[in-house]
Amino acid sequence: MDTKKSEIRTKNIINTSIIGIVVNICLVILKSIFGMIAGSIAMLLDALNNLTDVTSSVVTIIGLNWSKKQPDEEHPMGHGRIEYISAIIVSIIIIYAGASAGLESINKIFNPMNPDYRGYTIIIVIISIITKCILGSFVKKRGELNKSPALIASGQDAINDCFVSVAVLISALLSVFADIHIDAFIGLLISLWIMKSGFELFLEDLKDLLGRRADRTLAKQIKSYINSFDEVEDVHDLVLHNYGPDRFIGSVVIDVDENMTATNIYTLSHYIKDDVLDAYNVILSAIGICVVSSTTKDMREEIIRRLEHIDGILQVHGIHIDNEKHLIDLDIIISFDDPYPDATLDHAYMHMAESFPEYTIDIHSDRDI
């Protein structure tokens, strides 16, 4: 990532996290004080929920700072994935807080103690709802702008907290105006909501560590950009490896005319690498070359037309035709949704053998990346 852009991103994330910390500490103090005065387990658990947000923001800052460490011998691609780990830690904290709150709520259900809500308590809860909605939207938007999974998680959690506080408000209103006391049950619902949010965030963050597909829009833009070079006839086999938010290293294969010299190809590859880095902040560590001949253009188009009509085949590329050795070598992309990919590959072989019986066929199955 560009150093200046990286510094701006880091500053934005830290500033946003600090704002979240300050706002949530204020809410924790207010809800704890008035929750104890009212004897409301639901309000105290809502305060605990805000305390987990404070912890989440602190973990986000720590994780971000660690992710900025320079590459070393053991981590040559840097430490950017620490941000994903910090986001998972945040989700685990949320799950633990929800489970603890649930146990306390169950205890209050079997050992009830009616809360004493007052008008000022209700006002505090309403202020909390408005504050958390504004904060959640702000943090999530800043997370999306700065591509920070931890900030996005914290922002979504804050938005979810609005619904938690609404449940507390309903409990308070029923207690004051109808003398109906459901505080402990609301507390249990809050704990379940907290755990649900935590599990959802955990599973979402886990996808990044396992290797989530790169954004299709980004991949299409890079392919289209490379294809805009006059010397490039086709672009395929783009692979992007994620080493942290907005940190991609990848490779690609381009089709060029067989008459291009090694010097021409080197110059073209150099320009493509530099331009893609400047335009999309993606490092292309390797550019493979597939040579094509104008004399086989019609045959190539016929191969594509025949194979792309087979259900399950998304794309045909990397076609190399050697008329002297009577060899056809090509790649196909089979959809992940195809229940029988091996059968689809066999179908492609059979179709090619029937269409070009005098040629030896070699088909490689690529992944839809």
Side-chain angles (χ1 to χ4, degrees), residues 12-313:
N12 288 339
I13 293 174
I14 290 176
N15 289 342
T16 304
S17 298
I18 290 174
I19 292 172
I21 290 171
V22 172
V23 172
N24 279 302
I25 286 177
C26 292
L27 290 175
V28 169
I29 293 172
L30 286 173
K31 290 179 182 179
S32 297
I33 292 173
F34 288 98
M36 286 187 288
I37 292 173
S40 168
I41 181 63
M43 198 166 185
L44 289 173
L45 292 185
D46 199 9
L48 173 64
N49 192 30
N50 291 140
L51 185 60
T52 64
D53 294 342
V54 174
T55 308
S56 300
S57 297
V58 172
V59 172
T60 297
I61 293 175
I62 294 173
L64 180 63
N65 286 326
W66 282 356
S67 73
K68 304 307 292 181
K69 289 176 61 179
Q70 293 298 315
D72 53 38
E73 187 173 351
E74 292 186 352
H75 308 92
M77 298 303 176
H79 300 76
R81 286 178 177 167
I82 288 179
E83 286 196 56
Y84 298 143
I85 296 175
S86 67
I88 285 181
I89 292 173
V90 168
S91 66
I92 292 174
I93 291 171
I94 293 171
I95 293 170
Y96 176 77
S100 300
L103 292 174
E104 184 63 26
S105 297
I106 292 172
N107 180 53
K108 292 296 182 182
I109 290 174
F110 289 102
N111 301 283
M113 183 180 67
N114 294 336
D116 182 21
Y117 286 110
R118 300 296 175 89
Y120 53 78
T121 310
I122 295 175
I123 293 174
I124 292 298
V125 176
I126 293 174
I127 291 174
S128 169
I129 294 171
I130 296 172
T131 303
K132 291 297 287 187
C133 285
I134 295 173
L135 178 66
S137 299
F138 170 73
V139 172
K140 187 175 181 181
K141 184 176 181 180
R142 292 292 290 269
E144 291 170 346
L145 288 174
N146 294 281
K147 298 183 179 179
S148 168
L151 268 191
I152 294 172
S154 296
Q156 185 59 53
D157 184 47
I159 292 172
N160 293 343
D161 290 347
C162 297
F163 298 100
V164 172
S165 296
V166 167
V168 177
L169 178 61
I170 292 172
S171 176
L173 292 174
L174 288 175
S175 177
V176 172
F177 296 105
D179 197 30
I180 298 175
H181 305 288
I182 58 171
D183 194 66
F185 293 97
I186 291 296
L188 181 59
L189 289 176
I190 291 173
S191 67
L192 293 174
W193 180 276
I194 293 172
M195 285 191 289
K196 174 180 175 292
S197 300
F199 277 116
E200 288 176 348
L201 293 173
F202 177 82
L203 294 175
E204 191 67 19
D205 298 329
L206 198 60
K207 292 178 183 179
D208 290 313
L209 282 181
L210 290 175
R212 188 200 300 264
R213 173 198 295 277
D215 180 53
R216 284 188 180 273
T217 301
L218 174 63
K220 288 180 180 179
Q221 288 175 343
I222 292 175
K223 285 183 179 180
S224 178
Y225 188 82
I226 296 174
N227 213 20
S228 67
F229 285 79
D230 293 336
E231 300 91 340
V232 176
E233 298 195 16
D234 194 15
V235 182
H236 47 89
D237 292 329
L238 174 65
V239 178
L240 298 176
H241 300 284
N242 187 308
Y243 287 93
D246 203 26
R247 301 183 186 188
F248 288 100
I249 297 175
S251 59
V252 70
V253 177
I254 59 174
D255 291 355
V256 298
D257 188 271
E258 64 179 353
N259 294 315
M260 284 189 70
T261 65
T263 301
N264 294 145
I265 292 174
Y266 171 80
T267 302
L268 173 63
S269 299
H270 181 74
Y271 281 130
I272 289 174
K273 287 182 179 180
D274 285 350
D275 287 0
V276 168
L277 180 60
D278 290 340
Y280 301 101
N281 197 35
V282 172
I283 298 173
L284 290 179
S285 59
I287 298 180
I289 303 298
C290 182
V291 296
V292 297
S293 171
S294 58
T295 59
T296 60
K297 180 180 179 181
D298 291 341
M299 190 173 176
R300 284 161 53 85
E301 291 178 351
E302 177 67 12
I303 291 171
I304 293 172
R305 186 185 67 79
R306 287 180 177 275
L307 292 184
E308 287 191 346
H309 275 79
I310 298 175
D311 290 339
I313 295 181

